[in-house]
Amino acid sequence: MIQTDNKLKEIKSKSLPTDKKRLILGSIIATMVAVSPYLFYLYESVPNTQVWETFLFTYDSKFYGSAFNLAWTLANKFVPLYLLFIWFFTCRHWWYHALLVPIAMYAYQISTIFNDDLSYVDELQIWYLIPIMAVIIPSIYLIRAKIFNSVNDADKSMQELEDEFRIGPKSFKDFF
């Protein structure tokens, strides 16, 4: 009994740094999500003038007529993209690559915001997303089919199957 207690204490002492790292990483991610409304409302600090001069840059808003309008439009595209990136990098499900479709859509929309010659920002992005969707959607379906074939043939849990088919880094630190 004493040996078992000593082994449990040893295991807990070895897993403690990992638990602390997870707690710290989870706290950072939760803070990043909680800050998103404040990031959205940063547009209110931009002046409602056509030319916005700061010590870093000068922006002349020809298409939007006001730097405030540009900042509002940019905030409406950036915050969902920001949250989608957090979701993509923290998602543990097998289908997380499907998030690349809205990520690509918002990234394209942000790039078109700065193009003053466009009259409608959200008009033609679907044509640029079709090649991305043509790769991602069939890939996700094939992974799903493999998972369900494996479920019928094996005694693994759904979590073990998702981990087996997971493509990419196994943890957040593997990105760095």
Side-chain angles (χ1 to χ4, degrees):
M1 181 74 174
I2 295 173
Q3 290 177 346
T4 307
D5 289 340
N6 289 338
K7 286 183 180 179
L8 285 174
K9 288 179 184 177
E10 185 179 325
I11 291 170
K12 285 182 180 179
S13 67
K14 288 182 180 178
S15 66
L16 190 59
T18 305
D19 291 340
K20 283 185 180 180
K21 288 179 185 177
R22 284 184 178 178
L23 181 64
I24 291 170
L25 183 61
S27 298
I28 291 170
I29 292 169
T31 303
M32 290 170 63
V33 172
V35 166
S36 63
Y38 297 106
L39 291 175
F40 176 78
Y41 285 106
L42 279 176
Y43 76 89
E44 291 183 351
S45 64
V46 177
N48 196 6
T49 60
Q50 183 171 354
V51 178
W52 180 29
E53 293 184 22
T54 67
F55 68 94
L56 297 173
F57 61 88
T58 300
Y59 179 76
D60 185 13
S61 179
K62 296 175 185 162
F63 176 73
Y64 289 97
S66 166
F68 180 82
N69 292 339
L70 170 80
W72 180 82
T73 306
L74 189 60
N76 277 292
K77 304 299 179 187
F78 174 75
V79 171
L81 179 64
Y82 170 76
L83 293 171
L84 281 167
F85 270 122
I86 292 172
W87 189 10
F88 180 78
F89 287 119
T90 59
C91 187
R92 297 197 53 185
H93 297 287
W94 60 269
W95 51 262
Y96 76 103
H97 285 93
L99 296 172
L100 291 173
V101 174
I103 285 172
M105 180 185 71
Y106 278 110
Y108 176 75
Q109 288 175 351
I110 287 173
S111 70
T112 59
I113 285 174
F114 292 107
N115 186 350
D116 295 337
D117 296 331
L118 290 178
S119 58
Y120 298 105
V121 173
D122 296 337
E123 187 175 332
L124 298 173
Q125 75 270 8
I126 190 70
W127 297 111
Y128 295 102
L129 289 176
I130 287 175
I132 295 169
M133 291 186 310
V135 172
I136 291 174
I137 292 172
S139 301
I140 291 171
Y141 179 76
L142 291 173
I143 292 171
R144 179 188 171 276
K146 285 183 180 182
I147 287 175
F148 285 107
N149 283 340
S150 297
V151 166
N152 293 333
D153 295 339
D155 292 332
K156 292 182 180 180
S157 70
M158 195 59 154
Q159 182 62 41
E160 290 171 336
L161 290 169
E162 285 183 5
D163 291 341
E164 182 179 325
F165 287 108
R166 188 160 182 247
I167 301 169
K170 299 294 181 197
S171 69
F172 191 74
K173 69 178 182 177
D174 292 340
F175 285 102
F176 303 105

